[in-house]
């Protein structure tokens, strides 16, 4: 299957991103035809410091390589290096209604949080995302729950284009993980874990052991002391059990049995150690890659080259179908 997914360069990658999306990327690349993209153009919808953004893009590539994205098995590249993303986004924007963009939950939230900067890019964000995906004839998109709505609009746009101009795009499937599609915040387990929130609310993949212990020990739990998986009534403990289970492979039922008589503190202590242990190889790899700037540059150069040649094939077809006069 042709797989495409993306991640924003800003903020620290956390276990929500990992369990919801990136872990699946690493698994799919063993068997499928994968492309992974650092979406720097999407990041511009929030005001960025240019130097900091440049650094963040390189850092994000290092983070992805550190957790197992392998440039020998998948195409890893930066969105702005392939100009066709913005070209296709423009074309698709003419097939997208204001109403459907205004209904997007992420847009409504971001517009509310950024009252001083309600730029048009915040509204058209999903059109650029649809272009990212449709440009490569993608069949499957591994993402977390929060991106489900953006995948629906992507399929709608593809359908609309195909109906009007003839079959050009594949309608991509959304690939949520079996569990972990919505990891919750450690401070407010009613909300998703988010890198734009307070660092105490998430475990970053490259957090130092002390920080991990501190954050897990102070994670919000529920009243009572019973350790039982019940997302409705015990969202805090259920979230910790889910993270535990996904990080070390034990089933939730097994964990409930193991900690039945032991209380919240014992569960938290054990979870902190599991996280420290499983994230340690990532930290080690990140340190090693931080000094290999030329190697990173070369990966991105090759990635952009491969992605560009695929993008150009789709764009030739799209320009022709839409009636743009060629000049070859
Ligand atoms: P944030 O809201 O944390 O700033 P984002 O949604 O902008 O994050 P990206 O880094 O662009 O995050 O997302 C990368 C991937 O991680 C996406 O597929 C997204 O669905 C997934 N993801 C983000 N947060 C979570 C979460 N709490 N649980 C599961 N998956 C998540
Ligand atoms: N909007 C996504 C990031 C993203 C993406 C994509 C994900 C941009 N383009 C294409 C999958 C496919 C987010 O904020 N997580």
């Amino acid at each position: 299957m042709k797989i495409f997914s993306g991640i924003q360069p800003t903020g620290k990658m956390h276990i929500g991103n990992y369990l919801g999306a990136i872990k699946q990327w690493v698994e799919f690349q063993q068997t499928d035809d994968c492309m992974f993209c650092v979406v720097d153009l999407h990041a511009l919808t929030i005001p960025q410091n240019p130097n900091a953004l440049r650094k963040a893009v390189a850092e994000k590539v290092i983070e992805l390589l550190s957790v197992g994205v392998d440039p020998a098995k998948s195409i890893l590249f930066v969105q702005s290096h392939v100009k066709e993303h913005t070209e296709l986004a423009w074309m698709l924007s003419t097939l997208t209604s204001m109403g459907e963009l205004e209904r997007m939950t992420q847009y409504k939230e971001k517009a509310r949080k950024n009252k001083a900067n309600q730029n048009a890019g915040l509204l058209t964000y999903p059109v650029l995302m649809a272009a990212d995906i449709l440009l490569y004839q993608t069949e499957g998109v591994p993402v977390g729950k929060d991106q489900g709505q953006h995948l629906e609009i992507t399929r709608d746009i593809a359908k609309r284009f195909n109906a009007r101009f003839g079959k050009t795009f594949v309608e991509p499937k959304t690939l949520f993980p079996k569990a972990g599609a919505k990891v919750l915040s450690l401070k407010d387990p009613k909300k998703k874990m988010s890198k734009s929130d307070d660092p105490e609310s998430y475990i970053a993949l490259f957090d130092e052991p002390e920080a991990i212990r501190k954050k897990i020990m102070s994670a919000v739990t529920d009243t009572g002391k019973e350790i039982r998986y019940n997302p409705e009534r015990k969202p805090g403990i259920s979230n910790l059990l889910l993270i535990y289970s996904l990080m070390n492979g034990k089933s939730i039922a097994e964990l409930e049995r193991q900690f039945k008589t032991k209380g919240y503190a014992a569960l938290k202590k054990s979870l902190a150690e599991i996280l420290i242990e499983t994230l340690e190889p990532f930290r080690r790899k990140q340190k090693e890659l931080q000094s290999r700037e030329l190697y990173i540059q070369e990966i991105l150069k090759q990635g952009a080259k491969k992605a560009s040649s695929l993008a150009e094939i789709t764009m030739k077809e799209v320009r022709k179908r839409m009636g743009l006069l060629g000049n070859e």
Side-chain angles (χ1 to χ4, degrees):
M1 186 168 31
K2 284 196 176 171
I3 301 278
F4 182 99
S5 198
I7 184 164
Q8 302 212 42
T10 45
K12 291 198 174 149
M13 204 149 96
H14 52 70
I15 55 174
N17 300 135
Y18 181 66
L19 299 173
I22 319 296
K23 194 165 165 233
Q24 278 61 244
W25 297 12
V26 175
E27 285 161 10
F28 276 119
Q29 77 180 353
Q30 308 303 336
T31 47
D32 294 77
D33 202 355
C34 294
M35 300 183 73
F36 301 121
C37 184
V38 176
V39 295
D40 54 349
L41 297 170
H42 277 110
L44 296 177
T45 54
I46 306 290
Q48 305 288 344
N49 170 301
N51 283 327
L53 180 60
R54 243 186 308 273
K55 277 204 193 112
V57 172
E59 256 313 302
K60 194 58 63 194
V61 172
I62 290 176
E63 291 184 10
L64 291 172
L65 295 171
S66 306
V67 303
V69 171
D70 180 352
K73 296 199 174 102
S74 54
I75 301 177
L76 176 61
F77 72 108
V78 174
Q79 190 184 33
S80 66
H81 292 174
V82 181
K83 307 279 183 284
E84 284 81 0
H85 289 245
T86 41
E87 184 185 358
L88 182 58
W90 174 258
M91 289 158 170
L92 299 181
S93 78
T94 65
L95 294 167
T96 311
S97 77
M98 295 289 285
E100 60 188 336
L101 291 175
E102 280 161 355
R103 277 196 295 278
M104 293 290 119
T105 312
Q106 184 177 303
Y107 163 69
K108 285 194 276 191
E109 236 172 68
K110 291 205 173 166
R112 184 173 52 79
K113 279 195 197 152
N114 296 283
K115 280 255 164 11
N117 179 34
Q118 294 192 350
N119 64 81
L122 277 182
L123 182 69
T124 55
Y125 180 113
V127 182
L128 179 58
M129 178 160 161
D132 297 341
I133 297 167
L134 299 179
L135 195 47
Y136 301 104
Q137 310 298 335
T138 305
E139 292 159 304
V141 186
V143 283
K145 257 270 144 21
D146 61 317
Q147 296 302 313
Q149 204 182 25
H150 288 162
L151 262 298
E152 278 167 35
I153 196 174
T154 299
R155 279 189 293 274
D156 289 343
I157 294 172
K159 258 188 226 135
R160 216 168 285 154
F161 190 103
N162 289 345
R164 194 152 145 205
F165 299 107
K167 175 106 180 61
T168 308
F169 294 121
V170 173
E171 289 172 35
K173 285 199 182 72
T174 311
L175 305 170
F176 292 131
K178 278 191 206 81
K182 188 175 181 187
V183 176
L184 303 174
S185 157
L186 298 177
K187 286 191 88 175
D188 179 1
K190 282 185 212 72
K191 290 193 338 201
K192 75 158 194 157
M193 183 175 282
S194 165
K195 63 187 171 203
S196 21
D197 280 349
D198 171 3
E200 293 300 308
S201 69
Y202 60 77
I203 304 287
L205 289 184
F206 304 93
D207 268 347
E208 293 295 333
E210 254 335 288
I212 296 179
R213 280 194 196 100
K214 197 164 149 261
K215 291 183 195 181
I216 293 291
M217 292 318 287
S218 49
V220 169
T221 42
D222 321 287
T223 50
K225 36 184 190 201
E226 199 190 356
I227 295 189
R228 193 161 44 85
Y229 186 77
N230 182 340
E232 294 289 309
R233 303 208 26 225
K234 296 177 91 69
I237 279 297
S238 301
N239 192 40
L240 297 183
L241 282 169
L242 176 73
I243 295 171
Y244 199 131
S245 155
L246 292 171
M247 289 313 278
N248 92 333
K250 279 191 185 170
S251 73
I252 289 185
E254 209 175 321
L255 293 171
E256 282 175 332
R257 269 196 303 279
Q258 182 181 338
F259 290 98
K260 195 168 180 176
T261 55
K262 300 209 172 107
Y264 291 172
L267 172 73
K268 284 178 162 182
K269 257 196 198 134
S270 173
L271 172 58
E273 296 314 310
I274 292 287
L275 283 166
I276 290 167
E277 203 177 295
T278 39
L279 299 180
E280 204 272 331
F282 297 171
R283 275 201 307 281
R284 204 170 345 115
K285 191 85 205 245
Q286 185 200 36
K287 291 214 175 83
E288 180 200 319
L289 287 169
Q290 270 163 345
S291 56
R292 301 185 60 191
E293 214 171 299
L294 286 178
Y295 170 68
I296 306 294
Q297 267 175 20
E298 189 54 32
I299 289 173
L300 294 182
K301 207 166 139 193
Q302 293 304 324
K305 207 165 138 194
K306 289 183 203 155
S308 292
S309 64
L310 295 170
E312 187 49 29
I313 298 171
T314 304
M315 280 322 292
K316 275 204 176 121
E317 178 76 14
V318 170
R319 290 182 207 117
K320 195 164 99 202
R321 295 234 183 223
M322 292 187 94
L324 301 176
L325 178 65
N327 71 346
E328 274 145 26

